[in-house]
Amino acid sequence: PSIERHLVFRDFLIQHPIWAQKYSDLKRQLAASHPNSSRHYTEAKTELVVLINKLASKWRETLS
């Protein structure tokens, strides 16, 4: 299930460039503001990752 979730996340971002850009922008911002703390970086992007996972899951269901 974990691998499937990651693949759906990836595929969703490939098919939805606006969400991919939002994710990329956030990651760049967080990397710049937390260069030495992967924990803070990961925690700070969790909210967007959860949202994208939900959207990706719903999107995947429409493909079946």
Side-chain angles (χ1 to χ4, degrees), residues 9 12 14 16-17 28 34 39 42 49-50 53-54 63:
F9 187 93
F12 177 82
I14 290 169
H16 299 86
R28 290 175 200 276
H34 302 289
R39 184 176 62 91
T42 302
V49 169
V50 168
N53 272 324
K54 288 178 185 177
L63 301 177

Side-chain angles (χ1 to χ4, degrees), residues 17-52:
I18 292 172
W19 283 105
Q21 188 63 53
K22 289 180 183 188
Y23 184 57
S24 177
D25 291 347
L26 178 63
K27 288 178 63 167
R28 290 175 200 276
Q29 175 191 7
L30 294 173
S33 62
H34 302 289
N36 299 316
S37 178
S38 62
R39 184 176 62 91
H40 286 99
Y41 169 85
T42 302
E43 289 174 359
K45 69 179 187 149
T46 297
E47 185 177 337
L48 183 59
V49 169
V50 168
L51 173 59
I52 293 174

